[in-house]
Amino acid sequence: MNRKTLVLPAVVGLLAPVLVACGSTDGGSGGGDAIVVGTTDQFVAGEDAPAPLDPAYAYDTGAWNVLRQTLQTLMHAPRGGGEPVPDAAESCLFTDTVSESYRCKLRSGLKFADGTPVTAEDVKFSIQRVLDIDADNGTAALLSNIDTIETKGDNEIIFHLATPDATFPYKLSTPAAGIVSKEKYDGKKLREGFQVDGSGPYTMKTETDGDKVSRVVFTKNPNYTGDLKLKNDKVVLRSFADAESMGKALESGDIDLMTRAMAPEQIKEMLENPKEGIELTEMPGLEIRYLAFDTSDPAVKNKAVRQAIASLVDRGQIAGEVYGTTAEPLYSLIPKSISAHTNSFYNKYGEPSSKKAAALLDDAGIDTPVQLTLHYTTDHYGEGTVKEFEALRDQLNASKLFDVKVEGTEWSKFRPAQKRGDYAVYGLGWFPDFPDPDNYTAPFLGEGNFLNSPYVSDKARELIPQSRRDVDRTAASPAFKEIQDIVADDVPVLPLWQGKQYVAARDGVSGVEWALNSSSDLQLWELSRGES
């Protein structure tokens, strides 16, 4: 294996949740024309999440990366990141000076995969449907600033916003704004199961094993009209139980490429002991990991408990010993590579200190040791997660101020339990929906947020819409600095680290360097057979 480091254009702003793939026997390097991509993401339908691939519900990177292949949006992120450009739209622009009215004109000849025309009414139906269903996954919050949607004829649509929002074009590029047909989707109810129908670059078919997807086959959509140029006719996503089995499939030629989530030890081995015929590509990434708190839970309701944890956590040890070169410590919700980042947590708490933590607890009259359980998901963020939480447990317990246990749960049960408020403290990852600091703050602090958190900061909720008024996003930096300082003081969430992303591929696959953009958007249309 050879190693290649890719430097893509810098991206200013944003965040975003994880990569997915499901499998097929159609190919790999050993045969067939389909390019086969492996992932450890799991797609599971159950009582708590019966519609994991409905754009009105889906709000994780794995599901979104399926939707990006099959649903078309008015705008889309360019291959290397940056400001969105038209896809289903021919053009989009603000028609006022305060970013409250956004008008799009559709491309001519747009069709769904079944050949029926895509009209402005379909766009209105699709986005209004997300708002009307308002699923508890937090998806609708991305579009909640829409006041009314107006159509003019079949090819023009105008979004009237409740408040100014310069980030709105980014939101229209997310799968939450994916265009669906009222013939296939109910306007008031989620579509259960795994089928997705749209006007995107591919059609899809899934195969399942019980309630889990075993593979997704993406086939070029002959009716696609948009900005993307497809370099293949078929791609198969194959889901693996763990990184080890995914890696073995790559070595044997059963798959052509693997991405999220490779194990830290696996990446280390690939870097130190390259194997002939396999190349590891490092790409810029905007992933962050954090602890979150149910601030209404008696165990952590007093912010002194949360502040004491912030005083004790040694991010450097976790990043270095658990993740090695693939992660670095993070002291803010907004990662270093995004404009407006400040080291708010380091500025407030400095280096890990038992003395400082003890003083915080003592001043608040908190009896020690504080008993807590830290919850994490076993199958969503990769194999380093369990070691990360064991390290967190050991750090907190070593202070004698806490008595901590850790408990892992599979994602299909973890996420519903977290949203219900079953966990006082839990770990999650975030992959930006779009590249702007707004997307590292609003989804955690805004009304109807992704975490379903009871935490409310009136000041933060005042600053978030204020920051959206600035078309020049650097002008919003003072507002974001204040938000970061509020988070460091109240600790509704505790940022831990930010990561890089890697793709490993067999020789003979080209376009690997564009398989993911910096927001972890999977771009399967970039892959083709040929020298990498």
Side-chain angles (χ1 to χ4, degrees), residues 421-481:
D422 292 356
Y423 304 147
V425 191
Y426 53 91
L428 281 172
W430 184 253
F431 298 77
D433 305 326
F434 56 88
D436 190 277
D438 177 85
N439 195 236
Y440 286 96
T441 51
F444 304 97
L445 307 174
E447 186 176 356
N449 59 74
F450 164 74
L451 298 176
N452 197 27
S453 171
Y455 170 77
V456 175
S457 165
D458 292 334
K459 185 60 178 178
R461 291 191 178 182
E462 174 188 324
L463 289 166
I464 288 169
Q466 176 185 316
S467 72
R468 292 171 178 163
R469 295 176 179 270
D470 295 309
V471 176
D472 176 4
R473 301 306 290 149
T474 59
S477 292
F480 287 116
K481 181 184 184 303

Side-chain angles (χ1 to χ4, degrees), residues 17-265:
V18 186
L19 188 60
V20 48
C22 306
S24 168
T25 56
D26 299 353
S29 299
D33 294 327
I35 296 170
V36 185
V37 178
T39 190
T40 60
D41 273 340
Q42 307 293 308
F43 303 94
V44 182
E47 183 178 348
D48 292 314
L53 295 181
D54 189 315
Y57 177 85
Y59 202 9
D60 66 87
T61 303
W64 272 21
N65 279 333
V66 171
L67 297 180
R68 290 185 193 281
Q69 321 307 314
T70 49
L71 297 183
Q72 196 172 18
T73 49
L74 291 169
M75 307 290 283
H76 81 100
R79 56 165 20 183
E83 295 184 4
V85 296
D87 184 19
E90 177 182 288
S91 61
C92 287
L93 74 163
F94 283 107
T95 57
D96 61 351
T97 59
V98 292
S99 303
E100 284 186 332
S101 181
Y102 196 71
R103 182 187 303 254
C104 291
K105 181 179 180 181
L106 298 183
R107 292 178 185 267
S108 61
L110 281 179
K111 295 179 181 179
F112 289 108
D114 64 5
T116 58
V118 176
T119 69
E121 281 297 327
D122 291 306
V123 179
K124 178 179 179 178
F125 165 80
S126 302
I127 292 177
Q128 189 63 53
R129 175 178 180 270
V130 175
L131 295 171
D132 289 344
I133 291 175
D134 193 17
D136 67 357
N137 224 19
T139 317
L142 275 173
L143 305 173
S144 62
N145 194 34
I146 296 173
D147 185 18
T148 59
I149 306 173
E150 176 186 358
T151 61
K152 291 188 175 181
D154 286 340
N155 70 342
E156 195 168 350
I157 185 162
I158 303 117
F159 300 94
H160 300 284
L161 307 182
T163 58
D165 186 1
T167 72
F168 189 66
Y170 288 105
K171 295 169 182 176
L172 287 183
S173 73
T174 69
I179 303 168
V180 300
S181 167
K182 58 175 67 73
E183 301 300 319
K184 304 273 178 78
Y185 290 79
D186 190 310
K188 303 295 183 181
K189 185 172 64 174
L190 293 172
R191 183 180 183 179
E192 297 185 2
F194 299 111
Q195 188 55 40
V196 182
D197 293 283
S199 57
Y202 296 97
T203 60
M204 65 169 282
K205 290 184 178 180
T206 61
E207 290 189 6
T208 59
D209 180 5
D211 59 357
K212 295 183 179 181
V213 169
S214 57
R215 68 173 183 165
V216 182
V217 179
F218 293 109
T219 303
K220 184 177 181 179
N221 175 14
N223 288 318
Y224 171 70
T225 301
D227 187 57
L228 302 174
K229 305 297 185 290
L230 277 68
K231 298 179 181 178
N232 59 66
D233 293 326
K234 183 183 286 187
V235 181
V236 176
L237 295 178
R238 180 175 171 185
S239 182
F240 290 88
D242 52 59
E244 182 181 3
S245 57
M246 181 171 63
K248 289 179 178 178
L250 183 69
E251 291 185 18
S252 67
D254 289 341
I255 64 174
D256 298 293
L257 181 148
M258 69 175 181
T259 179
R260 205 204 85 83
M262 297 166 65
E265 296 84 0

Side-chain angles (χ1 to χ4, degrees), residues 511-522:
V512 174
E513 65 272 27
W514 302 112
L516 291 173
N517 67 16
S518 59
S519 296
S520 296
D521 299 341
L522 186 59

